[in-house]
PDB file of all heavy atoms in Angstrom:
ATOM      1  N   ALA A 110      96.789  19.449  30.952  1.00 88.00           N
ATOM      2  CA  ALA A 110      98.111  18.882  30.676  1.00 88.00           C
ATOM      3  C   ALA A 110      98.030  17.362  30.552  1.00 88.00           C
ATOM      4  O   ALA A 110      98.655  16.765  29.663  1.00 88.00           O
ATOM      5  CB  ALA A 110      99.089  19.269  31.775  1.00 88.00           C
ATOM      6  N   ASP A 111      97.246  16.717  31.422  1.00 88.00           N
ATOM      7  CA  ASP A 111      97.067  15.268  31.330  1.00 88.00           C
ATOM      8  C   ASP A 111      96.375  14.884  30.025  1.00 88.00           C
ATOM      9  O   ASP A 111      96.746  13.906  29.375  1.00 88.00           O
ATOM     10  CB  ASP A 111      96.260  14.745  32.519  1.00 88.00           C
ATOM     11  CG  ASP A 111      97.057  14.705  33.813  1.00 88.00           C
ATOM     12  OD1 ASP A 111      98.298  14.661  33.735  1.00 88.00           O
ATOM     13  OD2 ASP A 111      96.434  14.723  34.887  1.00 88.00           O
ATOM     14  N   ILE A 112      95.364  15.652  29.646  1.00 88.00           N
ATOM     15  CA  ILE A 112      94.638  15.354  28.405  1.00 88.00           C
ATOM     16  C   ILE A 112      95.551  15.522  27.199  1.00 88.00           C
ATOM     17  O   ILE A 112      95.532  14.691  26.284  1.00 88.00           O
ATOM     18  CB  ILE A 112      93.375  16.236  28.286  1.00 88.00           C
ATOM     19  CG1 ILE A 112      92.354  15.772  29.324  1.00 88.00           C
ATOM     20  CG2 ILE A 112      92.791  16.165  26.886  1.00 88.00           C
ATOM     21  CD1 ILE A 112      91.075  16.521  29.338  1.00 88.00           C
ATOM     22  N   ASN A 113      96.371  16.566  27.188  1.00 87.00           N
ATOM     23  CA  ASN A 113      97.297  16.750  26.061  1.00 87.00           C
ATOM     24  C   ASN A 113      98.305  15.602  25.975  1.00 87.00           C
ATOM     25  O   ASN A 113      98.669  15.175  24.874  1.00 87.00           O
ATOM     26  CB  ASN A 113      97.999  18.101  26.170  1.00 87.00           C
ATOM     27  CG  ASN A 113      97.052  19.249  25.873  1.00 87.00           C
ATOM     28  OD1 ASN A 113      96.031  19.066  25.198  1.00 87.00           O
ATOM     29  ND2 ASN A 113      97.361  20.421  26.375  1.00 87.00           N
ATOM     30  N   LYS A 114      98.754  15.072  27.125  1.00 88.00           N
ATOM     31  CA  LYS A 114      99.652  13.907  27.115  1.00 88.00           C
ATOM     32  C   LYS A 114      98.933  12.681  26.557  1.00 88.00           C
ATOM     33  O   LYS A 114      99.521  11.897  25.803  1.00 88.00           O
ATOM     34  CB  LYS A 114     100.169  13.614  28.519  1.00 88.00           C
ATOM     35  CG  LYS A 114     101.205  14.594  29.004  1.00 88.00           C
ATOM     36  CD  LYS A 114     101.641  14.245  30.410  1.00 88.00           C
ATOM     37  CE  LYS A 114     102.563  15.323  30.960  1.00 88.00           C
ATOM     38  NZ  LYS A 114     102.912  15.096  32.364  1.00 88.00           N
ATOM     39  N   ILE A 115      97.673  12.507  26.929  1.00 87.00           N
ATOM     40  CA  ILE A 115      96.888  11.376  26.423  1.00 87.00           C
ATOM     41  C   ILE A 115      96.693  11.505  24.916  1.00 87.00           C
ATOM     42  O   ILE A 115      96.820  10.525  24.167  1.00 87.00           O
ATOM     43  CB  ILE A 115      95.539  11.280  27.161  1.00 87.00           C
ATOM     44  CG1 ILE A 115      95.761  10.934  28.629  1.00 87.00           C
ATOM     45  CG2 ILE A 115      94.629  10.251  26.501  1.00 87.00           C
ATOM     46  CD1 ILE A 115      94.546  11.118  29.510  1.00 87.00           C
ATOM     47  N   VAL A 116      96.404  12.719  24.436  1.00 88.00           N
ATOM     48  CA  VAL A 116      96.227  12.948  22.999  1.00 88.00           C
ATOM     49  C   VAL A 116      97.532  12.657  22.259  1.00 88.00           C
ATOM     50  O   VAL A 116      97.520  12.035  21.186  1.00 88.00           O
ATOM     51  CB  VAL A 116      95.724  14.392  22.739  1.00 88.00           C
ATOM     52  CG1 VAL A 116      95.829  14.756  21.273  1.00 88.00           C
ATOM     53  CG2 VAL A 116      94.289  14.530  23.224  1.00 88.00           C
ATOM     54  N   GLN A 117      98.658  13.070  22.815  1.00 88.00           N
ATOM     55  CA  GLN A 117      99.958  12.764  22.185  1.00 88.00           C
ATOM     56  C   GLN A 117     100.196  11.254  22.143  1.00 88.00           C
ATOM     57  O   GLN A 117     100.709  10.724  21.153  1.00 88.00           O
ATOM     58  CB  GLN A 117     101.096  13.449  22.940  1.00 88.00           C
ATOM     59  CG  GLN A 117     101.166  14.934  22.721  1.00 88.00           C
ATOM     60  CD  GLN A 117     102.226  15.593  23.598  1.00 88.00           C
ATOM     61  OE1 GLN A 117     102.795  14.969  24.482  1.00 88.00           O
ATOM     62  NE2 GLN A 117     102.475  16.867  23.345  1.00 88.00           N
ATOM     63  N   LYS A 118      99.810  10.565  23.199  1.00 86.00           N
ATOM     64  CA  LYS A 118      99.953   9.111  23.237  1.00 86.00           C
ATOM     65  C   LYS A 118      99.070   8.468  22.163  1.00 86.00           C
ATOM     66  O   LYS A 118      99.486   7.524  21.493  1.00 86.00           O
ATOM     67  CB  LYS A 118      99.573   8.592  24.629  1.00 86.00           C
ATOM     68  CG  LYS A 118      99.690   7.109  24.795  1.00 86.00           C
ATOM     69  CD  LYS A 118      99.247   6.690  26.188  1.00 86.00           C
ATOM     70  CE  LYS A 118      99.106   5.190  26.286  1.00 86.00           C
ATOM     71  NZ  LYS A 118      98.520   4.764  27.545  1.00 86.00           N
ATOM     72  N   ILE A 119      97.854   8.978  22.008  1.00 86.00           N
ATOM     73  CA  ILE A 119      96.946   8.456  20.976  1.00 86.00           C
ATOM     74  C   ILE A 119      97.529   8.695  19.588  1.00 86.00           C
ATOM     75  O   ILE A 119      97.523   7.801  18.735  1.00 86.00           O
ATOM     76  CB  ILE A 119      95.541   9.097  21.116  1.00 86.00           C
ATOM     77  CG1 ILE A 119      94.841   8.573  22.382  1.00 86.00           C
ATOM     78  CG2 ILE A 119      94.690   8.815  19.884  1.00 86.00           C
ATOM     79  CD1 ILE A 119      93.542   9.276  22.697  1.00 86.00           C
ATOM     80  N   GLU A 120      98.046   9.907  19.335  1.00 88.00           N
ATOM     81  CA  GLU A 120      98.600  10.226  18.020  1.00 88.00           C
ATOM     82  C   GLU A 120      99.864   9.427  17.707  1.00 88.00           C
ATOM     83  O   GLU A 120     100.161   9.160  16.552  1.00 88.00           O
ATOM     84  CB  GLU A 120      98.894  11.723  17.923  1.00 88.00           C
ATOM     85  CG  GLU A 120      97.658  12.569  17.817  1.00 88.00           C
ATOM     86  CD  GLU A 120      97.959  14.061  17.786  1.00 88.00           C
ATOM     87  OE1 GLU A 120      98.986  14.475  18.365  1.00 88.00           O
ATOM     88  OE2 GLU A 120      97.160  14.794  17.197  1.00 88.00           O
ATOM     89  N   SER A 121     100.620   9.040  18.725  1.00 89.00           N
ATOM     90  CA  SER A 121     101.856   8.299  18.489  1.00 89.00           C
ATOM     91  C   SER A 121     101.620   6.795  18.343  1.00 89.00           C
ATOM     92  O   SER A 121     102.552   6.059  18.022  1.00 89.00           O
ATOM     93  CB  SER A 121     102.855   8.564  19.609  1.00 89.00           C
ATOM     94  OG  SER A 121     102.360   8.041  20.824  1.00 89.00           O
ATOM     95  N   ASP A 122     100.406   6.334  18.575  1.00 86.00           N
ATOM     96  CA  ASP A 122     100.088   4.917  18.427  1.00 86.00           C
ATOM     97  C   ASP A 122     100.188   4.518  16.951  1.00 86.00           C
ATOM     98  O   ASP A 122      99.656   5.212  16.083  1.00 86.00           O
ATOM     99  CB  ASP A 122      98.679   4.653  18.959  1.00 86.00           C
ATOM    100  CG  ASP A 122      98.318   3.181  18.999  1.00 86.00           C
ATOM    101  OD1 ASP A 122      99.205   2.338  18.790  1.00 86.00           O
ATOM    102  OD2 ASP A 122      97.142   2.884  19.255  1.00 86.00           O
ATOM    103  N   PRO A 123     100.852   3.411  16.626  1.00 88.00           N
ATOM    104  CA  PRO A 123     100.984   3.018  15.218  1.00 88.00           C
ATOM    105  C   PRO A 123      99.653   2.662  14.563  1.00 88.00           C
ATOM    106  O   PRO A 123      99.524   2.746  13.339  1.00 88.00           O
ATOM    107  CB  PRO A 123     101.910   1.796  15.261  1.00 88.00           C
ATOM    108  CG  PRO A 123     102.081   1.434  16.673  1.00 88.00           C
ATOM    109  CD  PRO A 123     101.596   2.553  17.523  1.00 88.00           C
ATOM    110  N   LYS A 124      98.637   2.281  15.360  1.00 87.00           N
ATOM    111  CA  LYS A 124      97.324   1.943  14.801  1.00 87.00           C
ATOM    112  C   LYS A 124      96.383   3.149  14.744  1.00 87.00           C
ATOM    113  O   LYS A 124      95.210   3.000  14.421  1.00 87.00           O
ATOM    114  CB  LYS A 124      96.675   0.834  15.631  1.00 87.00           C
ATOM    115  CG  LYS A 124      97.456  -0.479  15.585  1.00 87.00           C
ATOM    116  CD  LYS A 124      96.708  -1.592  16.290  1.00 87.00           C
ATOM    117  CE  LYS A 124      96.896  -1.483  17.786  1.00 87.00           C
ATOM    118  NZ  LYS A 124      96.234  -2.541  18.535  1.00 87.00           N
ATOM    119  N   TYR A 125      96.879   4.342  15.046  1.00 89.00           N
ATOM    120  CA  TYR A 125      96.076   5.569  15.063  1.00 89.00           C
ATOM    121  C   TYR A 125      95.604   5.903  13.644  1.00 89.00           C
ATOM    122  O   TYR A 125      96.375   5.867  12.698  1.00 89.00           O
ATOM    123  CB  TYR A 125      96.909   6.710  15.645  1.00 89.00           C
ATOM    124  CG  TYR A 125      96.329   8.086  15.453  1.00 89.00           C
ATOM    125  CD1 TYR A 125      95.234   8.499  16.180  1.00 89.00           C
ATOM    126  CD2 TYR A 125      96.902   8.970  14.542  1.00 89.00           C
ATOM    127  CE1 TYR A 125      94.722   9.765  16.018  1.00 89.00           C
ATOM    128  CE2 TYR A 125      96.385  10.234  14.375  1.00 89.00           C
ATOM    129  CZ  TYR A 125      95.291  10.629  15.112  1.00 89.00           C
ATOM    130  OH  TYR A 125      94.775  11.885  14.941  1.00 89.00           O
TER     131      TYR A 125
END
Side-chain angles (χ1 to χ4, degrees):
D111 286 337
I112 289 180
N113 288 337
K114 286 179 187 175
I115 294 167
V116 167
Q117 287 174 351
K118 180 182 169 188
I119 290 172
E120 288 177 331
S121 66
D122 187 10
K124 296 186 280 182
Y125 167 73

